[in-house]
Amino acid sequence: MTKSNASAATGPIRNVVFDMGGVLMYFSGIEFARKFTQDEKDAQALDAALFSNPSWALLDSGTIDTDTMERIAAVRLPERLRPNLHECIHGWYRHRRNIPGTNDLVARLHDAGYGCYLLSNAGTNFMAFKDDIPAFAHMDGWVVSAFVRLMKPDPRIYRLLTDEYGLDPAECLFVDDNADNVRGAEVAGMQGHLFTTPEALEEDLKARGLSF
């Protein structure tokens, strides 16, 4: 276990809680934008107006809907890119790529009897692509920010998940590629792993005594 993965809580792990973007699937706004534009400068403009826009967090929080996000992004773009924006905001998720190693780990953990859960900051369009994430079929439960109007790293969203599914936070390992989100889980009483690669995660899981 690396120093960066050390947690305040200790003890046996019976459940592993996974972030989505950056852990189970790649999330790159510029990569998505390139799918809907032919010019690199246009792709950068589309990314800046949409995925890198501070208002994107409002979409994930459930504060605004997709149509409102589109209107917010549109004012930052020339008229000629408005059709690209419309296609992108309604179809970016069709171009997402899964991270095979982590999805495989979820399946192996679940088959070995460990609880597997998803906790993600994401919008309501999650429902349109959740079943395309291989690991989702092995999840015992999930919480997505837009549906509960809470976002990581607010400790309340982690507690909402553990309360909903009757889990002891100290028996949960939370996996996220964002250090603030990991810290939020630790404040909520979970153990934490700062995700870098599936291989490093597997090594840490085995170092914590998990057998799968």
Side-chain angles (χ1 to χ4, degrees):
M1 178 172 62
T2 64
K3 184 177 180 181
S4 64
N5 289 333
S7 304
T10 59
I13 297 296
R14 294 185 171 85
N15 308 285
V16 185
V17 183
F18 292 86
D19 174 40
M20 182 169 59
V23 175
L24 295 175
M25 57 175 275
Y26 296 104
F27 188 96
S28 170
I30 188 62
E31 285 189 16
F32 295 138
R34 287 174 181 144
K35 300 294 184 180
F36 297 91
T37 56
Q38 300 298 316
D39 179 83
E40 180 63 21
K41 288 185 178 179
D42 286 348
Q44 292 176 8
L46 184 55
D47 175 40
L50 187 58
F51 303 108
S52 296
N53 190 320
S55 294
W56 184 263
L58 299 178
L59 188 64
D60 285 351
S61 71
T63 305
I64 61 174
D65 60 15
T66 300
D67 291 340
T68 301
M69 184 67 235
E70 183 174 356
R71 290 193 294 271
I72 291 171
V75 300
R76 297 191 176 197
L77 293 169
E79 186 69 31
R80 64 182 178 81
L81 288 179
R82 303 290 173 82
N84 306 73
L85 169 64
H86 182 77
E87 292 179 4
C88 184
I89 198 170
H90 290 285
W92 66 267
Y93 54 84
R94 298 188 184 97
H95 299 278
R96 56 158 192 72
R97 295 181 295 120
N98 295 317
I99 301 176
T102 321
N103 281 269
D104 177 66
L105 267 178
V106 174
R108 291 161 56 198
L109 286 165
H110 189 264
D111 288 347
Y114 296 100
C116 296
Y117 297 85
L118 177 71
L119 178 57
S120 178
N121 286 347
T124 56
N125 61 8
F126 166 76
M127 301 301 290
F129 64 84
K130 63 181 177 62
D131 293 325
D132 294 328
I133 303 171
F136 192 74
H138 305 284
M139 294 295 179
D140 295 293
W142 57 273
V143 169
V144 167
S145 59
F147 295 100
V148 297
R149 301 294 181 92
L150 289 170
M151 291 183 69
K152 299 175 294 182
D154 188 331
R156 291 178 297 171
I157 194 170
Y158 308 90
R159 293 173 184 145
L160 188 153
L161 182 140
T162 55
D163 289 348
E164 176 71 18
Y165 295 103
L167 309 178
D168 181 348
E171 296 178 347
C172 297
L173 178 69
F174 178 68
V175 180
D176 200 300
D177 61 324
N178 182 299
D180 288 338
N181 292 344
V182 173
R183 180 56 185 153
E186 293 172 352
V187 171
M190 294 182 176
Q191 301 183 48
H193 174 95
L194 182 59
F195 182 83
T196 54
T197 67
E199 294 77 16
L201 173 57
E202 180 166 357
E203 180 182 352
D204 188 26
L205 290 169
K206 290 181 176 178
R208 293 172 185 268
L210 279 71
S211 179
F212 53 96

